[in-house]
Amino acid sequence: MVEETVQELASALAAHPAPQVVDVREPHEHAAGHVPGARPVPLGQLASRVDELDRSRVVHVVCASGNRSRVACALLDARGFRTRNVDGGTAAWLRAGHAVEAS
């Protein structure tokens, strides 16, 4: 697991192809506002849904503050993924003035 700032994630999102971003918050949290393009996979479901993720690409993991995403990164790292934990999570993303999508 590598720690990354929201600025680093924003730069990655501006690149082509867009990065693989996973939001491990609960569905209602994701629906209220999430990093653009983030795929919702709640932490409680992550172990059973790892096959939905592309092992050949880095997985940028985000939650509300960085705690659940740290746990998710450890789980994914143990299964052979390369991960980046978004430090400060969605709260830091919003504090930095970045836009969110709602669904």
Side-chain angles (χ1 to χ4, degrees), residues 7-92:
Q7 290 81 6
E8 290 169 323
L9 177 58
S11 293
L13 286 169
H16 184 74
Q20 180 173 218
V21 181
V22 173
D23 184 339
V24 295
R25 298 177 301 155
E26 293 300 311
H28 70 276
E29 294 174 287
H30 180 82
H34 55 271
V35 171
R39 175 187 201 148
V41 182
L43 181 58
Q45 298 175 13
L46 185 59
S48 65
R49 294 179 59 188
V50 294
D51 290 339
E52 296 176 20
L53 305 176
D54 184 349
R55 287 181 192 276
S56 70
R57 299 175 62 208
V58 171
V59 182
H60 302 257
V61 186
V62 66
C63 67
S65 65
N67 294 321
R68 285 177 282 183
S69 57
R70 206 167 275 111
V71 171
C73 284
L75 183 151
L76 292 171
D77 288 347
R79 287 166 173 78
F81 288 87
R82 292 171 294 131
T83 62
R84 292 184 185 232
N85 180 53
V86 180
D87 189 36
T90 306

